[in-house]
Amino acid sequence: QKEVEQDPGPLSVPEGAIVSLNCTYSNSAFQYFMWYRQYSRKGPELLMYTYSSGNKEDGRFTAQVDKSSKYISLFIRDSQPSDSATYLCAMSDNTGFQKLVFGTGTRLLVSP
Amino acid sequence: DAGVTQSPTHLIKTRGQHVTLRCSPISGHKSVSWYQQVLGQGPQFIFQYYEKEERGRGNFPDRFSARQFPNYSSELNVNALLLGDSALYLCASSFEGANSPLHFGNGTRLTVT
């Protein structure tokens, strides 16, 4: 069993839809949680990061962490075709932002 | 400001050869990390360096080595290449090691034939 599980998709939605992307994890030591966006032939781009549990909002993006369920989510409101990419969750333990453990990524397709 | 820059962008090598990949961090960033991303998978941690010292190593064989220079740039070396080493090699930098999130470059695509 992988430490971080993420549905690879693809997830296809129409423009303007609310998108929910999720990851589950097994290591209760994880404290730092990140979401990266990766376009084809590019490196991952940091979208958001949170420490421990709770919610964080940045524009159209909201990240949620539920440590009791070992479950994290990224919500995208008013999705745009430019949001079409692979979304990677990543997490690390109390050593901080090092030795990140990534999910496999979910491919999102937003159609006009 | 320039982001993390990696060179070369693409590379083709033969089994058994050696390869050196290079990375320049974002200006002001003192920590560099290396990750391997196999097609269809998430990146996997290889090394982290902070102030020229190794601060972490992932589950990779000794054929993989790295170093960080006084200007904070870094090299990843892989010896005795195997077909399974074909992947996208990503470099990430952060301001100060464990306390700052990682910012990735666009990677070097290595193909081993």
Side-chain angles (χ1 to χ4, degrees):
Chain A
Q1 182 187 7
K2 293 182 178 180
E3 277 189 288
V4 179
E5 299 279 358
Q6 188 175 9
D7 188 331
L11 175 62
S12 296
V13 300
E15 182 176 358
I18 297 175
V19 175
S20 173
L21 303 165
N22 311 294
C23 289
T24 60
Y25 63 95
S26 58
N27 188 346
S28 57
F30 286 147
Q31 299 283 347
Y32 294 82
F33 304 92
M34 288 136 275
W35 285 95
Y36 284 86
R37 177 175 62 194
Q38 187 172 26
Y39 291 112
S40 180
R41 301 184 180 278
K42 297 290 186 181
E45 171 193 4
L46 179 65
L47 287 175
M48 301 181 72
Y49 64 92
T50 58
Y51 173 73
S52 194
S53 289
N55 296 355
K56 186 174 183 178
E57 186 174 325
D58 184 2
R60 296 186 296 114
F61 299 92
T62 299
Q64 289 185 353
V65 175
D66 183 350
K67 290 188 68 180
S68 62
S69 301
K70 296 189 178 68
Y71 187 88
I72 70 171
S73 300
L74 177 71
F75 297 95
I76 307 174
R77 291 181 298 279
D78 188 24
S79 56
Q80 303 295 311
S82 59
D83 294 328
S84 298
T86 296
Y87 289 79
L88 296 154
C89 65
M91 43 200 83
S92 60
D93 59 23
N94 58 3
T95 56
F97 294 100
Q98 49 185 350
K99 205 169 185 178
L100 302 186
V101 180
F102 281 84
T104 55
T106 297
R107 187 177 172 208
L108 172 65
L109 301 173
V110 182
S111 54
Chain B
D1 282 343
V4 176
T5 57
Q6 294 186 242
S7 62
T9 55
H10 296 84
L11 203 52
I12 300 175
K13 290 285 190 178
T14 304
R15 278 177 298 175
Q17 285 188 319
H18 162 270
V19 69
T20 298
L21 310 180
R22 294 178 174 83
C23 172
S24 293
I26 293 171
S27 177
H29 284 195
K30 300 178 180 179
S31 179
V32 168
S33 301
W34 288 94
Y35 285 75
Q36 180 196 64
Q37 187 176 23
V38 174
L39 193 63
Q41 300 295 319
Q44 189 172 359
F45 173 72
I46 309 176
F47 286 110
Q48 185 187 39
Y49 279 78
Y50 178 63
E51 290 283 13
K52 303 180 289 295
E53 292 188 1
E54 183 182 304
R55 292 299 182 93
R57 183 184 184 115
N59 188 24
F60 279 81
D62 291 343
R63 298 185 297 108
F64 289 77
S65 64
R67 55 179 175 169
Q68 186 177 30
F69 299 99
N71 66 353
Y72 302 110
S73 66
S74 177
E75 283 183 353
L76 175 70
N77 294 282
V78 187
N79 292 324
L81 285 166
L82 303 174
L83 294 178
D85 295 331
S86 296
L88 181 67
Y89 287 86
L90 295 162
C91 175
S93 74
S94 63
F95 179 63
E96 50 170 9
N99 298 322
S100 309
L102 302 185
H103 298 270
F104 285 85
N106 287 327
T108 294
R109 172 73 62 188
L110 173 64
T111 302
V112 182
T113 62

